[in-house]
Structures are given as structure tokens and as C-alpha cells.
Amino acid sequence: MTPVYTVPPNAFRRTMAKSFLMNGGNAYALQALLGHSDITMTRQYVPLQPADVRHRHETCSPVESLLRYAQKCKEERKMSHEKFR
């Protein structure tokens, strides 16, 4: 006999909410989608793990963006110097 698995309805909401945030969704837009009247409910509903916060920081931080740009420029300079040797 095939086992029957039950999944609580909130598991789908939590999964959708976390996926929405991890794909660049706005917490206030998520609040509206979930129908929450207060953002604190949304924050409690979708806890972010430290790895999630770190990933978001690396992709959105202006400092990280400047560091990536500086690294790219450094690599391009190195490649252009190697061309002329």
C-alpha cells in the first residue's frame, strides 16, 4: 500500500514566501500577497536563515558591488597588459 503524506497548508505558504524573498521579492509586497495587516506578522512568518541574509547581502550590498567592480577592472587591466607583451 502506498503511504499517504499529509502536508500542512502553511508549509506551502512558507515555501512560497521564502522563495519569493530569495528571488528578490519585497517584504512589503509579500505582506500584501499573504494578506497580513502588519509587517511584523510577515517577518515572523518567514524567518530568514543566516545563509539567506548573507546571500542577500552579497547580491544587494553597495559595498560588495563596488568590490566586484574593482575586481573586474583589475582583471581587465591584467588582461590588457598581457595582450601587449
Side-chain angles (χ1 to χ4, degrees):
M1 182 172 219
T2 305
V4 176
Y5 298 101
T6 59
V7 178
N10 280 344
F12 291 112
R13 285 174 60 94
R14 278 191 304 274
T15 301
M16 183 280 303
K18 184 170 180 178
S19 178
F20 180 83
L21 291 174
M22 292 307 300
N23 287 310
N26 181 309
Y28 293 104
L30 179 61
Q31 174 188 354
L33 288 170
L34 294 174
H36 295 158
S37 59
D38 189 4
I39 193 70
T40 57
M41 180 62 185
T42 306
R43 287 180 56 206
Q44 291 174 5
Y45 203 77
V46 185
L48 292 176
Q49 301 301 317
D52 300 332
V53 174
R54 185 172 31 260
H55 170 72
R56 181 61 51 210
H57 178 267
E58 289 171 355
T59 57
C60 297
S61 166
V63 173
E64 292 294 325
S65 178
L66 287 172
L67 292 174
R68 282 192 302 272
Y69 180 74
Q71 182 63 33
K72 180 181 171 187
C73 290
K74 184 178 177 181
E75 290 170 1
E76 288 175 356
R77 246 188 338 265
K78 182 179 177 184
M79 287 174 37
S80 67
H81 287 296
E82 289 175 358
K83 268 187 194 178
F84 294 110
R85 286 187 178 185

